[in-house]
């Protein structure tokens, strides 16, 4: 089930974009094996129950001591059976473990070796620590997001970690798999969040070069400057997203909310403040539900601003099955959709190392090897002694 059924991927457990990338591949049917550390979650200070670590869904977890020679040998055996690999450590970490691209590609010449970092595998900042916010700061993306007169607004970690990171790594791995079918050779995919976030900004760099996007936040069509691409508060304190960018959609929006043809439409940026005030005053006269009853489903380009708790219950999301409940946890369903090779419902996130023996057996490890490695403490869950 799913277009990636039959592909095998090794994932070295981490946080942020690498697990999300592995989830995307698993959602599409790939068999992904997550390699976790062989210590109990409590020993690592992690308190979130496994069932809520949603980006870990859809795959088995095996606990392997990567610092053990036997652990390294085991992983290289798994590499020989894999189509792709995902790692999200700092540059040089995998090499120090003896699991860098050179030994892995020597073991499996067709392997697509996916590397996820913030700064990239090289460059002056490559060895430095950082997070999503730092990476998007260097691309121009963070500077462009926010309202007039306000500091840049952190857009959750969607632009760096997940947009510029997970999606570009998944895209790179799939490109590598397609190319390997022709050439018979694997390669390394260097996916850096700074590169991906910069790529996401391509259209805005074009608009800026053409003089159509100001470097001032809150002064452009898509950054809350324009009255017709804005969020307005309703009578009940809830919010309405308004986005009729095109003139014909704008006319319908104005007509439906009761503004006459003499009102400023916002076609001239000089009219934006006045138009925004008029729209805000009008939207504030009704509740969100009342506006939705009048405007949703029309070309006025309006939708309610929903919370994480409310979004799954919206009729459109319910009709499409955009969200799915797994193990009692509501979460987004796999995307995108396919007409024939439809992905199944993902399995719940598995606790670290919970499926070690079964997962290794599924990947072709014999029972004697599994028993020996378990007895030696190379695989399986190992709680550190107290005190």
């Amino acid at each position: 089930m799913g277009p990636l059924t039959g592909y095998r991927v090794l994932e070295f457990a981490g946080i942020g974009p690498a697990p999300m990338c592995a989830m995307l591949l698993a959602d599409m049917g790939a068999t992904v094996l997550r390699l976790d550390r062989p210590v109990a979650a409590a020993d690592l200070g992690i308190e979130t129950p496994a069932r809520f670590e949603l980006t870990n869904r859809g795959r088995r977890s095996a606990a392997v001591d990567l610092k053990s020679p036997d652990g390294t040998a085991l992983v290289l055996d798994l590499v020989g059976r894999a189509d792709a690999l995902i790692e999200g450590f700092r540059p040089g970490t995998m090499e120090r473990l003896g699991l860098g691209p050179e030994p892995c590609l020597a073991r499996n010449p067709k392997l697509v070796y996916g590397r996820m970092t913030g700064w990239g595998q090289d460059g002056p900042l490559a060895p430095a620590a950082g997070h999503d916010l730092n990476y998007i700061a260097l691309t121009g993306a963070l500077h462009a997001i926010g309202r007039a007169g306000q500091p840049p607004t952190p857009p959750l970690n969607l632009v760096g970690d997940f947009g510029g990171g997970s999606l570009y790594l998944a895209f790179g791995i799939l490109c590598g798999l397609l190319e390997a079918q022709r050439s018979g050779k694997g390669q390394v995919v260097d996916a850096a969040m700074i590169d991906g976030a910069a790529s996401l900004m391509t259209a805005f760099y074009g608009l800026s070069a053409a003089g159509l996007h100001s470097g001032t936040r809150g002064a452009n069509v898509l950054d809350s400057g324009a009255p017709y691409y804005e969020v307005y508060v309703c009578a009940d304190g809830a919010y309405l997203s308004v986005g009729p960018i095109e003139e014909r959609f704008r006319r319908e929006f104005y007509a439906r909310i009761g503004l006459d043809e003499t009102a400023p439409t916002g076609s001239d940026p000089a009219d934006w403040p006045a138009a925004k005030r008029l729209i805000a005053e009008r939207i504030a006269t009704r509740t969100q539900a009342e506006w939705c009853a009048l405007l949703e489903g029309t070309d006025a380009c309006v939708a309610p601003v929903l919370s994480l708790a409310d979004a799954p219950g919206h009729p459109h999301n319910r009709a499409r099955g955009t969200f799915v409940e797994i193990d009692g946890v509501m979460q987004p369903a796999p995307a995108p959709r396919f007409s024939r090779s439809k992905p199944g419902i993902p399995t719940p996130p598995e606790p670290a190392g919970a499926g070690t023996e079964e997962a290794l057996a599924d990947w072709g490890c014999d029972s004697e090897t599994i028993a020996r490695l378990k007895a030696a403490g190379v695989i399986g869950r190992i709680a550190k002694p107290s005190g």
Side-chain angles (χ1 to χ4, degrees):
M1 299 174 67
L4 295 183
T5 296
Y7 286 96
R8 287 191 166 191
V9 180
L10 275 182
E11 171 203 0
F12 289 81
I15 60 173
M20 177 75 172
C21 173
M23 184 204 81
L24 294 172
L25 301 180
D27 279 356
M28 294 298 107
T31 298
V32 182
L33 175 58
R34 188 174 83 247
L35 300 179
D36 277 290
R37 294 175 61 180
V39 293
D43 296 325
L44 293 174
I46 300 171
E47 300 179 357
T48 304
R51 62 194 289 256
F52 298 116
E53 297 281 357
L54 297 184
T55 58
N56 286 338
R57 74 187 187 189
R59 52 204 192 271
R60 305 303 303 269
S61 167
V64 180
D65 183 1
L66 300 179
K67 296 182 179 180
S68 160
D70 284 341
T72 300
L74 171 63
V75 173
L76 286 174
D77 284 343
L78 297 173
V79 163
R81 302 179 177 97
D83 298 292
L85 177 154
I86 295 172
E87 67 94 355
F89 303 131
R90 285 202 210 190
T93 300
M94 291 291 282
E95 284 80 356
R96 288 192 294 273
L97 292 170
L99 295 168
E102 187 174 343
C104 286
L105 285 166
R107 181 62 62 94
N108 182 353
K110 290 187 66 175
L111 182 73
V112 177
Y113 194 108
R115 315 198 80 168
M116 182 78 261
T117 58
W119 303 117
Q121 294 296 317
D122 53 33
L125 294 178
H131 281 293
D132 170 289
L133 198 65
N134 309 127
Y135 311 136
I136 69 173
L138 257 62
T139 67
L142 182 59
H143 184 275
I145 300 172
R147 294 184 173 277
Q150 297 295 316
T153 300
L156 299 180
N157 61 332
L158 298 178
V159 177
D161 276 352
F162 300 138
S166 305
L167 292 177
Y168 279 80
L169 178 56
F171 176 63
I173 287 174
L174 295 178
C175 288
L177 290 172
L178 286 172
E179 196 278 337
Q181 290 180 356
R182 294 196 305 268
S183 68
K185 298 178 182 179
Q187 60 184 305
V188 176
V189 179
D190 174 5
M193 286 174 254
I194 189 170
D195 297 341
S199 178
L200 290 173
M201 290 292 291
T202 299
F204 293 96
Y205 272 91
L207 291 172
S208 177
L212 300 175
H213 186 89
S214 166
T216 302
R217 281 185 300 280
N220 302 282
V221 171
L222 299 178
D223 64 359
S224 79
Y228 46 79
Y229 202 83
E230 178 61 289
V231 173
Y232 294 95
V233 64
C234 303
D236 55 352
Y239 291 91
L240 201 67
S241 69
V242 172
I245 298 175
E246 297 83 354
E247 181 68 33
R248 65 185 186 279
F249 298 154
R250 220 177 303 159
R251 286 196 297 268
E252 177 164 349
F253 168 72
Y254 284 132
R256 286 182 178 272
I257 68 172
L259 291 180
D260 60 40
E261 295 182 356
T262 63
T265 65
S267 298
D268 184 348
D271 292 337
W272 283 2
K276 189 174 287 192
R277 285 193 298 272
L278 284 175
I279 296 170
E281 290 169 0
R282 187 56 54 94
I283 298 300
T285 63
R286 301 189 188 188
T287 66
Q288 184 191 74
E290 289 172 332
W291 283 121
C292 288
L294 177 66
L295 299 170
E296 269 197 298
T298 73
D299 283 350
C301 303
V302 167
V305 178
L306 302 179
S307 68
L308 273 66
D310 292 336
H314 188 277
H316 185 79
N317 290 333
R318 289 205 311 269
R320 284 188 57 81
T322 301
F323 294 86
V324 61
E325 186 173 320
I326 303 172
D327 193 26
V329 182
M330 187 63 70
Q331 55 198 275
R337 303 173 187 220
F338 295 83
S339 62
R340 181 174 50 79
S341 53
K342 298 180 180 180
I345 299 299
T347 56
E350 186 170 272
T356 299
E357 296 174 57
E358 297 85 352
L360 293 178
D362 288 344
W363 275 63
C365 294
D366 62 82
S367 57
E368 290 81 5
T369 299
I370 292 174
R372 176 177 61 82
L373 294 176
K374 183 177 181 182
V378 176
I379 64 172
R381 305 286 282 161
I382 305 169
K384 292 181 179 178
S386 58

